[in-house]
Amino acid sequence: GDSYEGEWKDDKKHGNGTYKWATGTSYEGEWKGDKRNGKGTYKRSDGSVMYDGEYKDGAWHGNGTRYYKNGDVYKGEWSANKRQGRGVMTYANGDIYDGEWKDEHKDGNGKMNFHNGDVYEGDFSSDEMHGKGTYEYAGGLSKSIGEWKRGKKCGQFENIYIVMVEVSEQVYYENDEVKSDSNVKREALDADTDNEDAPPSKRRNICGRRQCT
């Protein structure tokens, strides 16, 4: 059957103690008035942790971490056994949501980092993108800013594209030093640097065009 080992007060579980159910599940932590109150850990029958955090009158309430069997992990605020308030959910597939929750659902302002590299930051309602938000696509080269409705774009959006421009510059060196004087550059350009027979005064050691010696 069920068993309890711990502190008592006025014939009620009070203080620190461990309760084990006949099913194999267990709770170890603080008690008050015969109920789980304070910090404690609830374990499944196989010994794995299901919840570690704060309790109020036997329910998950306050700050705590919930470990789901599928690999998801939620760390944040709870109210009456429900995700409520601010919290971070790390999904087994690599997605991460950091934001507000209401009655177990993503609801309010939050940020969703998808495992493919996309990022959405803005309003949520009932687990969906809903309201104003910004969706940035993987790589950070484009993003959409506007209003969403039940996970879909709705209305006017501002689409921003970041165009990568390759900039090339020609820099001339002499003995590992940059020569910024325009006369020197012109002389270097005019010199027959590829002609080994050119007079020494006309030859230049220009890194990038030939090996400096």
Side-chain angles (χ1 to χ4, degrees):
D2 298 348
S3 65
Y4 172 76
E5 183 177 347
E7 299 176 319
W8 297 81
K9 183 179 180 181
D10 298 329
D11 289 330
K12 294 181 179 180
K13 293 181 283 292
H14 193 97
N16 287 289
T18 300
Y19 194 98
K20 294 182 179 180
W21 285 265
T23 57
T25 58
S26 66
Y27 168 81
E28 182 177 357
E30 298 177 322
W31 297 77
K32 184 179 180 181
D34 222 31
K35 294 182 179 181
R36 287 166 284 175
N37 277 285
K39 294 182 179 180
T41 302
Y42 185 89
K43 294 182 179 180
R44 301 182 179 91
S45 57
D46 62 4
S48 62
V49 175
M50 178 184 287
Y51 176 83
D52 181 35
E54 297 177 325
Y55 281 79
K56 182 180 180 181
D57 294 333
W60 303 337
H61 193 94
N63 287 288
T65 303
R66 168 81 152 92
Y67 301 89
Y68 297 85
K69 280 189 174 182
N70 65 356
D72 295 348
V73 178
Y74 171 82
K75 184 175 183 180
E77 296 177 322
W78 295 82
S79 179
N81 287 334
K82 293 182 178 180
R83 297 187 294 268
Q84 180 89 12
R86 193 83 187 181
V88 178
M89 176 73 87
T90 302
Y91 295 90
N93 69 351
D95 293 348
I96 300 175
Y97 172 77
D98 182 354
E100 298 176 313
W101 297 78
K102 182 179 180 182
D103 292 331
E104 289 279 282
H105 299 289
K106 295 185 283 289
D107 201 296
N109 189 264
K111 183 178 182 180
M112 187 74 172
N113 289 274
F114 297 94
H115 66 275
N116 68 349
D118 292 354
V119 178
Y120 171 81
E121 186 169 5
D123 296 329
F124 285 82
S125 179
S126 299
D127 290 328
E128 294 182 312
M129 297 177 290
H130 189 84
K132 294 181 179 180
T134 299
Y135 195 104
E136 184 173 326
Y137 297 90
L141 299 182
S142 63
K143 58 184 177 181
S144 294
I145 303 173
E147 194 157 345
W148 303 73
K149 187 174 182 180
R150 298 303 172 202
K152 297 181 179 180
K153 296 177 182 178
C154 184
Q156 185 172 341
F157 269 74
E158 179 184 5
N159 292 326
I160 300 175
Y161 304 94
I162 300 174
V163 180
M164 301 299 290
V165 179
E166 180 178 302
V167 178
S168 177
E169 61 177 356
Q170 300 257 341
V171 182
Y172 296 91
Y173 292 82
E174 284 190 13
N175 297 322
D176 215 28
E177 292 184 3
V178 177
K179 294 297 183 181
S180 59
D181 185 270
S182 59
N183 292 330
V184 174
K185 287 183 180 179
R186 279 198 300 271
E187 184 179 358
L189 283 169
D190 294 338
D192 189 3
T193 54
D194 292 326
N195 185 358
E196 296 294 339
D197 296 327
S201 61
K202 288 290 185 179
R203 290 203 298 265
R204 297 282 182 176
N205 295 326
I206 304 175
C207 298
R209 296 189 61 187
R210 60 184 297 177
Q211 184 179 0
C212 289
T213 57

